[in-house]
Amino acid sequence: MDVFLQTLVAGILKGGLYALIGIGMTLIMGVMGIINLAHGQLMMLAMYVTFVLNTMGVDPYISLFVAMPLLFLLGMAIQKFLLNPLIKVETILPENQVLMTVGIGMVLTEIARFAFSSDYKYITTGYANQTFYLGNISFSMALTIAFVIALAFTAVMFWFLLKTDLGRSIRATAQDKDAATLMGVNTGRITVVTFGLGSALVAAAGCLLAPVYYIFPDLGGPFTAKAFIITILGGLGSTVGAIFGGVTLGLAESMGATYFGMEYEDIVGLTIFILVLLFLPGGFKRLTKV
């Protein structure tokens, strides 16, 4: 029983951070109708920002106040200057925005490789390897702090979407872009801001994960895949579903690593992903409305 509870705790802690990654991609998907396949690379970039600041003595969690604004501005620039122009271009490939995000991801990866080489980097903190116990269950200090901060960001994001005029405009654009335009919403501005918000959220996840993950240029690809899986599990465009999707993926990976072996960690998550596509194609969105 202790092993199961320990695995459950590890999965939930990891899943909370995955949810933050998934919410960022889900916001972009809901408003723009595309999957951002540079999502993980944006997170990787935030992790390198955290690494550079850490070499200057800045705590990774303090680096949130630098990485998030930087990635917010970068995300807005990507949407305004690289993705929005493609909407106005007639093409036989309506998925050209998605293809552009693939190219952006490749460029960000190679920029990171040029600047930092392919060597693994790591963050040095006094709490990265610390644990505390509740009964017989151990909790990673770094993951627990990151989980609490991720919960706070998620709560703030829901308040923003539900209670502010800009948040309501984002939700209206996601639900029906044409109707939102007719109601006076500047949907072009909303898409730019939303991409910035999605980038800032994944930057937060990168800062929170940096103390417990090695950092290298190709890190973005696997996390883009995880974000995509979370988005599908949660239901395209559902922010509440992204939370369930993130926790589900975290639990699946944790259970797979414990009961089948570390090499099966990703396989279990992908298997659940395939089963959801087969038997619950709408993901958790069928159970949620936000």
Side-chain angles (χ1 to χ4, degrees):
M1 180 58 72
D2 285 346
V3 173
F4 174 77
L5 291 175
Q6 183 68 70
T7 304
L8 189 67
V9 166
I12 292 174
L13 292 179
K14 184 189 294 185
L17 299 181
Y18 284 175
L20 195 60
I21 298 171
I23 290 173
M25 178 175 276
T26 294
L27 277 176
I28 295 170
M29 173 64 203
V31 171
M32 296 175 55
I34 67 166
I35 292 291
N36 173 25
L37 295 180
H39 204 62
Q41 284 80 2
L42 290 169
M43 191 190 83
M44 173 270 296
L45 196 62
M47 294 176 81
Y48 272 113
V49 171
T50 305
F51 168 75
V52 171
L53 291 174
N54 183 248
T55 62
M56 302 176 184
V58 179
D59 185 271
Y61 301 140
I62 301 299
S63 67
L64 284 165
F65 297 102
V66 177
M68 290 184 69
L70 283 178
L71 268 292
F72 177 79
L73 293 175
L74 177 60
M76 289 180 59
I78 288 172
Q79 175 62 34
K80 183 173 183 178
F81 298 111
L82 298 179
L83 297 179
N84 270 355
L86 297 180
I87 299 175
K88 305 171 184 177
V89 177
E90 293 185 5
T91 175
I92 60 173
L93 290 174
E95 300 85 0
N96 53 1
Q97 286 180 300
V98 179
L99 297 177
M100 175 63 83
T101 66
V102 173
I104 292 168
M106 291 178 178
V107 169
L108 292 177
T109 297
E110 295 311 313
I111 289 174
R113 198 187 316 278
F114 175 78
F116 299 99
S117 79
S118 295
D119 296 340
Y120 283 42
K121 311 294 183 184
Y122 59 91
I123 300 293
T124 302
T125 65
Y127 51 78
N129 297 316
Q130 289 183 4
T131 58
F132 65 93
Y133 287 82
L134 291 178
N136 295 324
I137 308 303
S138 66
F139 291 75
S140 164
M141 182 67 73
L143 277 179
T144 303
I145 295 173
F147 179 79
V148 172
I149 296 174
L151 282 183
F153 274 122
T154 302
V156 170
M157 178 54 60
F158 273 95
W159 174 85
F160 169 76
L161 290 174
L162 295 172
K163 300 297 183 180
T164 67
D165 291 339
L166 181 57
R168 294 188 188 99
S169 296
I170 290 174
R171 293 173 60 209
T173 303
Q175 290 171 9
D176 192 325
K177 191 173 184 178
D178 292 334
T181 301
L182 292 174
M183 293 298 292
V185 175
N186 185 341
T187 54
R189 172 174 169 264
I190 291 299
T191 58
V192 172
V193 171
T194 301
F195 203 100
L197 285 174
S199 301
L201 285 174
V202 81
C207 295
L208 297 176
L209 285 168
V212 295
Y213 270 86
Y214 284 109
I215 306 169
F216 57 100
D218 295 308
L219 179 71
F223 274 95
T224 294
K226 291 180 191 294
F228 178 67
I229 291 172
I230 292 165
T231 302
I232 297 300
L233 289 176
L236 298 177
S238 172
T239 48
V240 174
I243 297 174
F244 287 102
V247 173
T248 299
L249 182 61
L251 287 171
E253 290 185 353
S254 185
M255 294 292 179
T258 298
Y259 293 105
F260 298 101
M262 291 296 296
E263 64 272 21
Y264 294 100
E265 180 179 19
D266 292 330
I267 293 176
V268 173
L270 289 170
T271 301
I272 291 178
F273 170 62
I274 292 172
L275 292 175
V276 168
L277 284 179
L278 288 174
F279 300 108
L280 192 65
F284 292 113
K285 189 175 183 178
R286 288 186 176 183
L287 310 176
T288 59
K289 298 298 181 183
V290 180

